[in-house]
């Protein structure tokens, strides 16, 4: 009896000690999180109800910022731009990375080398990649139009025409991002058990049936991960738009983050910029939730 | 006989098509690299020549010299290196410390705190950037500030303004936690019975087992630090403190038709990551697969 009681007491002591250590271990992380995330988020919410502009004023103006942004045509234009971008970029990104993953999922000779080549573009920084692509897409002496001229096509002035500017950013960001998503798909494909294919083949299923009823459903978590990251990243597009097209021509590649950056840090309208940033955060949340719904709807068959 | 011959031929044909497709895609992925290397080594008159000169008649390092002399590229390179390495060290230490606590130690707020950290990853960076500038400007005793955080610049325009906000990234914590979870707990209990102190259990027993994860994490944090652009541009106003990405952007903006030096600069900005990748390729692929599957 006595012995059991003291054992329990010493267990409790060990656990208390363990908890104290744990809190000590996470203190730096939690402290940094509080100073650089929690406080700023709360402040951003507060600032979005003020006319804070760094230099002079900081008055509570209630919902004025939010009322103002309803009529802010440029803001909605940037949202339309980034939606258009996402609608093209996200599905293409998933499709291409999945195809590359399927292509390189076999253990043939040389496949590892191909994986390396497909992965290389993801190592480049947005600024360096965009710098290279400015020259790649040069209307007269660029590589892309040079190649097109071989087959007799006169390529457009990619970056200065309103029709092709956003398409240029789509191409650049696809080039930069399909490699790492391909690796994620490769890992996902490795997790699909072989016996599913074997039994399907015994039942006389063709290759397309195998993909439709086994591979695609089994990859659902992978696709969910890839699509979520792609959506969140796409809606926050900035670096490439800033370097490749500087938001132009005629604002067709200006994105919400770009606009908020200018509003907050060039024009110093930080109160209003905070309100815009919250609208963007809401948009990201809504689209992530929609994506989650779509992924949930397709329950795995097997 | 005829049937097997036919199917062998068909298999050979399929294999050929497979390799042709793979090679074409590889060329497409690699072409921008080749194009920029080519441009950086061609003299100006060959850069602006149509049709494309796939192999230059003359090689020149003039563009590299120009990139490094018109702007202080070497200084930018150094600044980026310092920032990226500091980011790596901080994230390795704080990330594994917290990751270990979340994975291996029992405490009441374990799950709630971890969930809050993860949920906060959804918040777009631009939301916190504006107030973070305010917070950093008013950190007490930093950058000429007094006790109440006024009078000076705080952490603005200093490297600390880049290093501290990212010193314990949620990705690092999450990544290390996932790795610690795969390690058995009985070593911990044994060590406790023998009277080993908690920090020593972490430092001497568990941390050495995470070397592959630490290698992967250092690559990712180095890449993130080296490639970072928007936040350094906001924090660092002093031209002497600019990073290589900022320098490259300014260069391509100011010298819009100087494609030779522009490509030279871009390649120099890519080079460290490329070298790191070729040296530690294994860890790159493992890391993406690991965080992908468990995510």
């Amino acid at each position: 009896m006595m012995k059991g009681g003291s054992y329990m007491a010493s267990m409790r002591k060990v656990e208390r000690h363990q908890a104290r250590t744990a809190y000590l271990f996470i203190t730096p992380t939690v402290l940094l999180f509080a100073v650089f995330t929690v406080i700023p988020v709360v402040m951003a919410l507060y600032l979005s109800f003020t006319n804070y502009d760094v230099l002079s004023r900081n008055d509570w103006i209630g919902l004025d910022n939010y009322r103002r942004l309803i009529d802010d045509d440029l803001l909605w234009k940037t949202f339309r731009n980034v939606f258009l971008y996402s609608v093209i970029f996200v599905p293409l990104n998933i499709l291409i990375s999945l195809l590359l993953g399927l292509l390189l999922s076999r253990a043939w000779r040389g496949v590892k080398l191909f994986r390396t080549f497909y992965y290389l573009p993801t190592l480049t920084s947005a600024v360096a990649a965009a710098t290279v692509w400015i020259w790649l897409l040069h209307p007269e002496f660029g590589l892309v139009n040079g190649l097109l001229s071989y087959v007799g096509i006169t390529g457009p002035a990619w970056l200065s025409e309103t029709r092709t500017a956003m398409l240029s950013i789509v191409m650049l960001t696809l080039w930069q991002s399909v490699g790492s998503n391909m690796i994620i798909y490769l890992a996902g494909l490795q997790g699909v058990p072989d016996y599913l294919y074997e039994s399907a083949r015994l039942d006389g299923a063709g290759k397309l049936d195998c993909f439709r009823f086994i591979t695609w459903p089994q990859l659902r978590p992978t696709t969910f991960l890839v699509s979520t990251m792609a959506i969140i990243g796409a809606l926050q597009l900035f670096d490439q738009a800033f370097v490749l097209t500087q938001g132009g021509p005629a604002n067709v590649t200006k994105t919400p983050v770009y606009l908020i950056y200018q509003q907050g840090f060039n024009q110093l309208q930080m109160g209003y910029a905070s309100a815009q940033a919250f609208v963007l955060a809401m948009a990201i949340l809504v689209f992530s939730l929609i994506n989650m719904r779509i992924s949930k709807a397709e329950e795995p068959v097997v | 006989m005829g049937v097997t011959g036919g199917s062998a031929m068909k298999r050979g044909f399929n294999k050929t098509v497979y390799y042709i497709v793979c090679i074409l895609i590889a060329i497409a992925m690699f072409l921008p690299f080749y194009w920029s290397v080519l441009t950086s080594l061609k003299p100006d008159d060959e850069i602006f020549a149509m049709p494309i000169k796939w192999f230059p008649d003359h090689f020149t390092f003039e563009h590299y010299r120009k990139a490094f002399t018109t702007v202080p590229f070497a200084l930018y390179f150094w600044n980026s290196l310092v920032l990226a390495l500091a980011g790596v060290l901080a994230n390795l230490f704080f990330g594994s410390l917290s990751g270990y606590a979340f994975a291996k130690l029992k405490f009441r707020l374990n799950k709630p705190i971890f969930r809050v950290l993860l949920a906060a990853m959804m918040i777009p960076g631009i939301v916190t950037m504006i107030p973070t500038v305010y917070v950093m400007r008013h950190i007490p005793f930093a950058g000429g500030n007094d006790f109440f955080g006024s009078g000076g610049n705080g952490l603005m325009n200093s490297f600390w303004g880049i290093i501290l906000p990212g010193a314990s990234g949620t990705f690092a914590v999450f990544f290390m936690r996932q790795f610690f979870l795969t390690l058995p707990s009985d070593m911990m209990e044994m060590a406790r019975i023998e009277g080993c102190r908690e920090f020593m259990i972490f430092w001497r027993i568990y941390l050495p087992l995470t070397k592959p994860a630490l290698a992967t994490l250092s690559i990712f944090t180095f890449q993130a630090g080296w490639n970072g652009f928007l936040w350094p541009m906001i924090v660092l106003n002093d031209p002497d403190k600019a990073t290589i990405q900022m320098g490259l952007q300014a260069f391509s903006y100011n010298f819009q038709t100087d494609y030779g030096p522009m490509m030279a600069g871009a390649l120099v900005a890519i080079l460290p990551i490329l070298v790191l990748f070729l040296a530690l390729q294994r860890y790159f692929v493992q890391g993406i697969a690991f965080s992908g599957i468990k995510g």
Side-chain angles (χ1 to χ4, degrees):
Chain A
M1 245 342 219
M2 266 294 282
K3 210 173 178 187
S6 73
Y7 175 72
M8 287 298 279
S10 81
M11 274 303 282
R12 264 205 301 279
K13 209 175 135 195
V14 167
E15 276 184 8
R16 259 210 311 277
H17 180 64
Q18 210 185 111
R20 261 207 309 278
T21 315
Y23 286 118
L24 202 66
F25 279 16
I26 62 169
T27 297
T29 302
V30 170
L31 215 62
L32 288 168
F33 181 73
V35 174
F36 294 112
T37 303
V38 178
I39 292 177
V41 167
V42 174
M43 267 183 74
L45 191 61
Y46 166 74
L47 286 179
S48 73
F49 295 103
T50 70
N51 56 8
Y52 178 57
D53 65 358
V54 186
L55 306 168
S56 53
R57 296 161 309 184
N58 189 13
D59 307 319
W60 182 266
I61 54 166
L63 286 170
D64 277 5
N65 284 331
Y66 291 94
R67 249 175 246 131
R68 180 178 158 195
L69 62 80
I70 291 174
D71 298 319
D72 189 337
D73 290 336
L74 187 56
L75 177 70
W76 299 116
K77 186 176 174 58
T78 62
F79 269 105
R80 275 199 304 277
N81 291 342
V82 89
F83 287 150
L84 176 70
Y85 167 77
S86 309
V87 165
I88 306 172
F89 172 77
V90 175
L92 276 180
N93 190 355
I94 293 171
L95 184 71
I96 297 174
S97 351
L98 177 60
L99 285 178
L100 293 181
L102 288 170
L103 190 68
L104 298 189
S105 64
R106 50 193 82 194
W108 287 2
R109 189 195 297 264
V111 162
K112 280 208 173 127
L113 190 68
F114 289 128
R115 284 184 197 161
T116 305
F117 270 100
Y118 299 2
Y119 187 75
L120 280 183
T122 64
L123 300 169
T124 59
S125 71
V127 177
T131 306
V132 170
W133 278 69
I134 291 176
W135 172 225
L136 219 59
L137 295 171
H138 191 281
E140 285 169 79
F141 304 108
L143 174 75
V144 174
N145 282 359
L147 287 176
L148 285 177
S149 74
Y150 283 139
V151 288
I153 299 172
T154 313
W158 293 94
L159 303 178
S160 47
E161 285 181 24
T162 49
R163 280 180 308 125
T164 50
M166 193 53 106
L167 201 62
S168 309
I169 297 183
V170 171
M171 291 194 294
L172 162 61
T173 45
L174 278 177
W175 178 71
Q176 272 197 296
S177 59
V178 291
S180 57
N181 289 335
M182 170 196 76
I183 303 275
I184 297 178
Y185 267 119
L186 277 171
L189 283 167
Q190 268 179 359
V192 183
D194 279 334
Y195 67 82
L196 291 178
Y197 293 114
E198 279 154 24
S199 54
R201 229 166 282 142
L202 285 180
D203 290 343
K207 274 194 174 159
L208 271 179
D209 289 329
C210 279
F211 176 79
R212 201 174 140 214
F213 295 110
I214 299 173
T215 316
W216 179 246
Q218 285 282 320
L219 286 176
R220 201 176 53 97
T222 314
T223 305
F224 175 63
L225 176 79
V226 171
S227 56
T228 305
M229 290 193 315
I231 289 170
I232 293 176
L235 293 175
Q236 295 186 65
L237 180 70
F238 171 80
D239 291 4
Q240 287 89 350
F242 187 79
V243 181
L244 195 66
T245 54
Q246 282 122 36
N251 289 329
V252 292
T253 57
K254 189 161 275 184
T255 66
V257 172
Y258 199 146
L259 185 71
I260 295 164
Y261 165 74
Q262 287 186 322
Q263 200 93 51
F265 293 102
N266 295 349
Q267 300 173 28
L268 299 179
Q269 296 188 5
M270 294 195 167
Y272 184 52
S274 296
Q276 292 178 321
F278 267 102
V279 175
L280 176 64
M282 280 303 124
I284 289 175
L285 187 69
V286 167
F287 281 95
S288 304
L289 289 177
I290 291 174
N291 180 44
M292 202 191 273
R293 264 291 149 77
I294 295 173
S295 307
K296 277 261 169 64
E298 307 177 8
E299 283 301 327
V301 182
V302 189
Chain B
M1 177 76 185
V3 176
T4 47
S7 82
M9 225 163 85
K10 197 177 162 220
R11 215 173 318 133
F13 177 73
N14 281 347
K15 226 168 182 167
T16 316
V17 170
Y18 176 83
Y19 280 110
I20 288 174
V21 170
C22 285
I23 289 170
L24 283 179
I25 298 173
I27 289 175
M29 293 306 239
F30 190 71
L31 216 49
F33 290 101
Y34 180 69
W35 178 246
S36 50
V37 172
L38 197 66
T39 306
S40 75
L41 295 173
K42 273 182 189 174
D44 267 331
D45 57 323
E46 288 186 41
I47 291 178
F48 298 102
M50 268 293 149
I52 298 166
K53 268 196 181 313
W54 291 100
F55 303 99
D57 298 332
H58 308 280
F59 285 99
T60 171
F61 282 98
E62 181 58 23
H63 298 312
Y64 286 88
R65 202 188 60 78
K66 195 173 177 202
F68 275 86
T69 47
T70 37
V71 288
F73 234 73
L75 178 68
Y76 300 157
F77 193 96
W78 173 250
N79 289 343
S80 281
L81 199 65
V82 170
L83 284 172
L85 287 178
V88 170
L89 287 181
N91 273 291
L92 287 190
F93 185 67
F94 295 132
S96 50
L97 206 57
S98 305
Y100 174 79
F102 285 122
K104 288 285 167 218
L105 299 177
K106 286 192 208 102
F107 57 105
R108 196 137 45 91
L109 294 176
N110 188 326
K111 284 263 158 59
I113 294 181
F114 187 66
R115 285 211 186 105
V116 170
L117 286 179
L118 280 192
M121 282 174 98
M122 285 284 292
I123 302 168
I126 193 79
V127 170
T128 51
M129 276 178 197
I130 292 166
T132 303
V133 167
Y134 183 90
V135 168
M136 294 212 309
R137 204 178 282 289
H138 297 282
I139 298 257
F141 303 121
N145 276 349
D146 57 19
F147 176 74
F148 299 104
S150 52
N153 281 328
L155 295 178
M156 285 303 279
N157 203 16
S158 90
F159 281 3
W160 289 111
I162 314 276
I163 296 167
L164 277 183
S168 177
T170 304
F171 177 75
V173 175
F174 171 76
F175 188 83
M176 291 312 293
R177 172 185 179 269
Q178 299 309 93
F179 196 85
F180 279 117
L181 281 178
T182 65
L183 300 176
S185 293
D186 46 359
M187 293 181 295
M188 196 164 69
E189 268 130 45
M190 290 280 283
R192 278 208 193 101
I193 290 167
E194 307 222 333
C196 190
R197 297 187 40 193
E198 292 289 336
F199 182 79
M200 283 303 156
I201 298 177
F202 160 72
W203 189 252
R204 285 271 160 79
I205 301 175
Y206 279 92
L207 198 59
L209 293 174
T210 62
K211 267 181 199 152
L214 291 178
T216 306
L217 185 60
S218 12
I219 295 165
F220 285 153
T221 37
F222 186 88
Q223 199 181 351
W226 182 266
N227 290 350
F229 176 57
L230 178 54
W231 184 239
M233 185 164 71
I234 290 169
V235 173
L236 305 170
N237 299 315
D238 193 344
D240 285 347
K241 289 180 179 159
T243 66
I244 193 152
Q245 310 297 342
M246 292 162 69
L248 182 61
Q249 187 271 329
F251 190 91
S252 76
Y253 187 79
N254 294 328
F255 300 90
Q256 289 196 2
T257 54
D258 253 348
Y259 292 109
M262 239 161 90
M263 293 306 109
L267 285 168
V268 171
I270 295 171
L271 196 68
I273 308 279
L274 218 55
V275 170
L276 202 66
F277 172 72
L278 292 175
L280 302 168
Q281 217 184 110
R282 187 159 62 97
Y283 295 109
F284 263 96
V285 174
Q286 277 173 358
I288 298 171
F290 182 74
S291 54
I293 294 172
K294 312 275 162 159

